[in-house]
Amino acid sequence: MQRRTFLHSMALFGALGVCPSLLANSVSGSANAISVEQLPELKGELTLYLGRGEGGLYEDVLNAIKKRNPSFKLNIRRGPTAALANAIVAEAKAGVRRADLFWAVDSGAIGLVSGAGLAQSLPKDLISQLKPEFQFSNWIPVTGRIRTLPYNTERLSADKIPDNIMELPESGLSIGWAPAYASFQSFVTAMRLIAGENATADWLKRMNDKATRYAGELGVVMAVERGEVDLGLANHYYTLRLKSGKPNARVNLAFTQNDAGCLVNASGIVALKEGDLAANFIRYLLTQEVQSYLASEAYEIPLVGNVAPPKGLPTLDTISPPKVDLTKLADLRPTLSLMRKAGVL
Amino acid sequence: MTRWPRSYPFALIIALIALIPVAVLATLATDSADMFDSRNLQVLNNTLLLMLLTAFGSIVIGVPLAILTTYVYLPWRRFWVVLLAAPLALPSYLGAFTFYAAFGPGGELETISGITTPRFNGLIGTAIVMALYTYPFVLLTTRASLASLDAGQVNAARTLGLSLFRSIILVVLPRIKNGIAAGSLLAALYALSDFGTPAIMNFDTFTRVIYVEYNAFGLSQAAMLSLQLMVIVGLVLILESRVKGTQEQPGRHLMLWPGKWQLGLMLASTLPVVLMAIFLPLTIFFLWLWRDGSGNFEITYAWNSAHASILAAIFAVVVALPVAYAAIQGKAGRIMERITYIGFGVPGIVMGTALVYVGLKLPFLYQTLGLLVLAYVLRFLPLAVGTIRSTSEGIDSSLVNAARVLGASPNEAFKRVTLPLTMRGLVAGAALVFLEAMRELPATLLLGPTGFETLATYLWRVYEAGYFGMAAVPGLLLILISGLGLALMFSGEKWNELKQL
């Protein structure tokens, strides 16, 4: 098991020739994705609050960073994003600061932490590495995820699926969704910002009659694959991961056009203490190597330069995601009250 | 004014410490505006139904199994006891998840056998899974009461012409009410506070509403809802305290020697429980292990789990002793004991957050193993208190009095008479705390030292990311180590039985 981790980290940073996909990416990569070779060595100690589980893939990235920087010590605390965000705010109030960095699974938690005035501003050259729509002054989006409509390939074909999310309730399809899931709530917030409160409330009510509720979006995708429902609402990577473990899975992805239904959201990282070390650590996450590793292994969408998107997902420019300021997605309270009034939560 | 029993000051301090998280929640909840949403009524209804069905189910399964394993002469008796208590070693969320993966159209059972099975979900599905994983509470507390029951009355009843079955119903059951009630109370509280099982089974309970609020950064609303949940917990505790035990002379308990086919029939009737609660999840895990391999698991996670849980078990028992004795000695003590039960009814994530605030007041403790162990003790203390109390209640107080008359100091009487007689309860209580601490997740994530990975936190990591094949190794190890804990518990029991014979 140790050996496997070791091999992963070797493939990630060391021997580029070992891993064909990395090699391919580094040849075709654009000029603005920086390689780890160009980065300064990290020296010192940081504590990272990591707001997600992840089956060892983030672990591989963090291990590879540690391995490359022998005089750098990284302490990691994992937990549900909301719990860690609450803990960070509580720590700040009590004057006991333990976290230097907070890597959150969705932008809502980032909003909570920066709303409490805890997010430090970051160097401009770091921010400018990201695609323009992902540039913010006090947090760095690390990877993206897109809202998709996974559908059962035995029960329907892509052309039966409306490309407007607002028409979904009238499509006659059975639908699975996970309203308690953070990414779903961010999506409803985006709909609120794009289509307005009334249209969103109306959509939720119409959907509620047609939809089966699941605890999480992994559950939604599994239910679609099993044929319990025709189609679901979920982040893209659950479908791609399911298919990687089960290549003949009866599920495929459809996208809506230019509405909240294909919102691109991001996981992001915040520096909670000033200093170069934290910023330099973030630089590692935006390198060619890490971004393409997270794309190929975790099926997350790279947000830097021209790093290729995960296999099985069209590139971002062929999809037409809506233009939404991601930090505004932190405004969850009105969304929850809409969802509650519609009887969805 | 009469002198307070010696256990009272200790019990009072512990009860006050147990109240700290409640105080934190109350402070957090003051920010919140909405008291009670009318939509929550449905959820409240669901929660109460689930609680009642779980308690009922755990009694229906647990009591007959307790009688079977205590009063019937079984070949390899200890094997059966350990096997039937084994669901304790399996966290109910793992059980629920494998049930979800196994049953229904497209489930693993269909993939293997081609037979489509009905789905397991909703109220009934959740209650069945909950009952399958909480009946061991009833089994153990009932066994403890049964073992200390003198067979004389049953023999008298049978001599007077009552059938065996009716004499068990009429003579035995009323005397073990306390044990059954203690076990089903734990099952009910478990049903109230568990989040994973209803979430996986797609059933709306109070914990789910709390979880939704919490994840949407409505900490104060979540705290308010937790306080409401605590009111329900409080009502359950008051109800249970009405059940009164009786003092009895201890003696040799009943032993039945059934014929071969009777024995076969009895053991066969346990089969569905064993198959569903133990065999099915293990099979699914081995299937996943075979299919997906072990991932990047490290063995230190298992050591961390065991280490923290053993500490929690030891401390919980030490803390539980004065509380359990206080509960026997008087009404005030009883109230103090009840207060310590509150922790068991609070959803883990809320308890974890409340303790973050407590820890922040004591920065030297924050994010240390010490605070984590304290959290485990606060959450699982009732398990130790309950078992210790129910065994100590069975102790004849005249034994202690005799020791005192013979010149022993209260301390000596405690050490040489009371403590050895409560040994079974101590070991059982420690084992229960150990098992629960092994599987505890939210408080471990929030309160453990930074970088402290346990089997449960690793399971969470892989499950959350959707790589549940990787759950096989930690899942199986969790079951294995919990199984060792169970074995330890029963080795304690054997020691006690030998002394009785």
Side-chain angles (χ1 to χ4, degrees):
Chain A
M1 293 166 219
Q2 291 280 11
R3 187 169 159 270
R4 186 167 154 159
T5 314
F6 172 72
L7 285 179
H8 265 305
S9 30
M10 284 303 288
L12 193 51
F13 282 164
L16 280 180
V18 174
C19 178
S21 73
L22 283 184
L23 187 64
N25 279 332
S26 56
V27 171
S28 65
S30 80
N32 53 358
I34 290 171
S35 160
V36 276
E37 305 297 336
Q38 296 158 262
L39 289 182
E41 196 190 336
L42 302 176
K43 285 198 174 86
E45 187 174 348
L46 286 177
T47 297
L48 168 71
Y49 280 19
L50 177 56
R52 64 179 317 167
E54 219 52 63
L57 294 168
Y58 283 33
E59 191 80 15
D60 292 342
V61 169
L62 298 171
N63 278 339
I65 294 174
K66 279 193 265 185
K67 202 174 157 53
R68 209 183 153 76
N69 299 283
S71 42
F72 171 60
K73 186 160 182 268
L74 182 67
N75 310 306
I76 306 165
R77 165 171 297 272
R78 290 185 186 76
T81 288
L84 289 182
N86 280 330
I88 287 169
V89 173
E91 283 173 14
K93 270 188 200 153
V96 184
R97 292 213 182 180
R98 294 289 163 90
D100 302 304
L101 293 158
F102 175 37
W103 188 349
V105 66
D106 74 358
S107 38
I110 306 253
L112 181 80
V113 171
S114 62
L118 301 174
Q120 303 292 330
S121 53
L122 292 158
K124 286 213 169 58
D125 66 305
L126 174 58
I127 296 164
S128 63
Q129 290 179 31
L130 289 147
K131 297 181 183 182
E133 62 272 35
F134 296 104
Q135 298 187 356
F136 303 95
S137 70
N138 59 3
W139 67 286
I140 297 285
V142 179
T143 53
R145 59 279 325 271
I146 184 164
R147 299 296 303 169
T148 57
L149 304 175
Y151 65 94
N152 185 296
T153 47
E154 273 180 9
R155 295 172 60 139
L156 76 161
S157 56
D159 56 296
K160 300 273 183 356
I161 301 166
D163 61 4
N164 181 345
I165 192 81
M166 304 314 266
E167 289 167 14
L168 201 55
E170 280 71 45
S171 62
L173 302 169
S174 63
I175 301 162
W177 66 359
Y181 189 71
S183 284
F184 181 89
Q185 293 169 358
S186 293
F187 145 74
V188 178
T189 309
M191 182 184 278
R192 215 162 46 77
L193 297 174
I194 296 167
E197 304 264 328
N198 293 338
T200 306
D202 181 53
W203 181 82
L204 285 168
K205 278 191 198 111
R206 284 184 288 137
M207 279 290 283
N208 202 24
D209 302 331
K210 305 275 158 50
T212 311
R213 194 160 67 196
Y214 294 89
E217 296 197 335
L218 174 64
V220 170
V221 174
M222 281 168 70
V224 169
E225 203 274 330
R226 294 161 73 146
E228 277 176 40
V229 288
D230 298 325
L231 161 140
L233 296 162
N235 278 348
H236 75 277
Y237 46 76
Y238 288 115
T239 305
L240 299 184
R241 286 178 198 165
L242 185 80
K243 287 178 78 155
S244 83
K246 195 175 175 186
N248 56 352
R250 296 163 289 188
V251 59
N252 225 335
L253 288 178
F255 299 87
T256 59
Q257 296 275 328
N258 205 13
D259 59 27
C262 59
L263 171 76
V264 176
N265 202 342
S267 73
I269 191 162
V270 195
L272 301 164
K273 272 187 197 150
E274 281 180 63
D276 288 342
L277 186 58
N280 286 338
F281 175 83
I282 298 175
R283 282 176 211 279
Y284 274 81
L285 300 180
L286 297 187
T287 54
Q288 170 75 41
E289 289 86 348
V290 170
Q291 290 278 311
S292 59
Y293 181 79
L294 289 177
S296 65
E297 300 295 319
Y299 299 95
E300 307 216 22
I301 301 172
L303 298 178
V304 176
N306 292 334
V307 180
K311 241 199 280 174
L313 194 73
T315 51
L316 280 189
D317 41 306
T318 60
I319 306 167
S320 51
K323 297 212 167 11
V324 178
D325 178 353
L326 290 184
T327 32
K328 290 204 174 129
L329 298 182
D331 191 18
L332 265 180
R333 306 301 304 171
T335 304
L336 288 186
S337 100
L338 269 190
M339 290 173 72
R340 219 170 270 128
K341 274 186 204 139
V344 170
L345 262 185
Chain B
M1 200 184 124
T2 50
R3 235 167 63 89
W4 266 33
R6 292 160 59 91
S7 57
Y8 270 27
F10 296 105
L12 184 65
I13 293 169
I14 294 157
L16 287 177
I17 293 176
L19 275 177
I20 291 174
V22 185
V24 174
L25 287 182
T27 345
L28 290 177
T30 48
D31 291 349
S32 149
D34 333 346
M35 259 298 281
F36 199 84
D37 196 323
S38 61
R39 260 189 34 74
N40 285 0
L41 274 178
Q42 177 62 40
V43 175
L44 177 65
N45 191 32
N46 283 353
T47 309
L48 293 178
L49 275 176
L50 177 66
M51 182 188 84
L52 289 176
L53 280 180
T54 303
F56 176 75
S58 66
I59 293 173
V60 167
I61 305 175
V63 173
L65 291 181
I67 294 176
L68 176 73
T69 52
T70 320
Y71 285 172
V72 177
Y73 179 81
L74 298 171
W76 310 313
R77 161 128 67 125
R78 280 227 287 151
F79 164 79
W80 288 104
V81 176
V82 174
L83 181 73
L84 289 169
L88 265 190
L90 255 143
S92 68
Y93 55 82
L94 286 187
F97 191 61
T98 49
F99 270 63
Y100 177 77
F103 286 95
E108 300 285 3
L109 284 179
E110 192 189 85
T111 321
I112 298 166
S113 65
I115 305 162
T116 308
T117 45
R119 283 221 125 271
F120 244 86
N121 59 9
L123 173 62
I124 299 300
T126 315
I128 290 176
V129 172
M130 285 273 197
L132 278 175
Y133 291 99
T134 53
Y135 84 80
F137 289 137
V138 179
L139 173 73
L140 293 173
T141 53
T142 310
R143 263 176 66 78
S145 317
L146 284 172
S148 54
L149 217 57
D150 184 27
Q153 292 196 33
V154 177
N155 292 338
R158 296 202 59 200
T159 317
L160 293 170
L162 215 56
S163 75
L164 175 63
F165 183 70
R166 280 176 59 84
S167 61
I168 285 180
I169 299 277
L170 295 175
V171 180
V172 176
L173 284 188
R175 292 190 291 161
I176 55 169
K177 260 191 328 202
N178 247 21
I180 299 175
S184 55
L185 170 74
L186 293 176
L189 290 179
Y190 191 95
L192 278 181
S193 66
D194 188 32
F195 167 71
T197 313
I200 292 167
M201 294 277 147
N202 199 13
F203 183 64
D204 255 354
T205 59
F206 233 95
T207 48
R208 205 191 73 93
V209 184
I210 291 173
Y211 200 76
V212 166
E213 279 298 335
Y214 187 91
N215 273 333
F217 312 111
L219 181 56
S220 55
Q221 187 71 22
M224 170 62 84
L225 288 164
S226 304
L227 288 176
Q228 292 173 4
L229 181 61
M230 261 183 229
V231 173
I232 307 178
V233 172
L235 291 177
V236 176
L237 292 176
I238 291 171
L239 259 178
E240 198 264 352
S241 67
R242 301 241 159 149
V243 184
K244 291 239 162 57
T246 42
Q247 281 279 336
E248 302 221 358
Q249 300 285 334
R252 272 181 83 159
H253 65 67
L254 189 67
M255 189 49 96
L256 305 168
W257 305 74
K260 258 204 175 123
W261 65 269
Q262 286 172 315
L263 191 67
L265 207 65
M266 284 180 194
L267 291 179
S269 66
T270 67
L271 207 62
V273 172
V274 174
L275 277 182
M276 297 269 275
I278 305 161
F279 184 75
L280 177 80
L282 286 181
T283 312
I284 300 280
F285 274 128
F286 276 112
L287 191 70
W288 286 344
L289 180 61
W290 171 70
R291 224 186 261 161
D292 294 294
S294 62
N296 55 357
F297 177 77
E298 283 174 38
I299 199 72
T300 47
Y301 305 161
W303 163 246
N304 285 344
S305 283
H307 176 62
S309 307
I310 288 171
L311 286 177
I314 294 171
F315 279 103
V317 167
V318 170
V319 171
L321 266 172
V323 180
Y325 287 125
I328 299 170
Q329 275 158 342
K331 204 161 180 202
R334 189 87 175 150
I335 293 171
M336 294 176 212
E337 184 229 2
R338 294 284 111 175
I339 289 172
T340 63
Y341 271 63
I342 282 172
F344 201 59
V346 182
I349 188 124
V350 179
M351 181 68 140
T353 304
L355 284 170
V356 164
Y357 283 82
V358 176
L360 284 168
K361 293 267 177 276
L362 312 159
F364 63 97
L365 259 186
Y366 188 57
Q367 296 185 350
T368 61
L369 192 60
L371 185 66
L372 181 62
V373 170
L374 175 68
Y376 287 157
V377 171
L378 283 182
R379 278 211 75 195
F380 305 127
L381 188 60
L383 294 170
V385 172
T387 41
I388 295 172
R389 175 172 55 78
S390 58
T391 33
S392 343
E393 270 171 350
I395 297 173
D396 188 353
S397 55
S398 56
L399 289 176
V400 179
N401 295 340
R404 299 275 283 126
V405 168
L406 292 171
S409 69
N411 267 333
E412 195 187 356
F414 175 77
K415 271 188 217 144
R416 295 185 54 191
V417 180
T418 318
L419 198 60
L421 286 172
T422 4
M423 205 56 193
R424 172 186 303 173
L426 287 180
V427 175
L432 282 179
V433 174
F434 175 79
L435 295 178
E436 284 295 329
M438 280 289 291
R439 68 179 70 158
E440 206 287 335
L441 180 61
T444 315
L445 286 171
L446 283 176
L447 299 169
T450 297
F452 187 76
E453 286 276 352
T454 65
L455 292 174
T457 62
Y458 183 78
L459 273 170
W460 167 77
R461 264 165 69 188
V462 296
Y463 169 70
E464 219 216 7
Y467 296 99
F468 43 80
M470 289 190 207
V473 172
L476 288 169
L477 262 176
L478 182 57
I479 296 167
L480 178 76
I481 297 176
S482 306
L484 291 178
L486 269 184
L488 178 83
M489 173 157 115
F490 290 110
S491 69
E493 182 163 280
K494 185 189 170 198
W495 176 82
N496 217 309
E497 271 173 15
L498 280 177
K499 289 213 129 178
Q500 273 190 8
L501 288 174

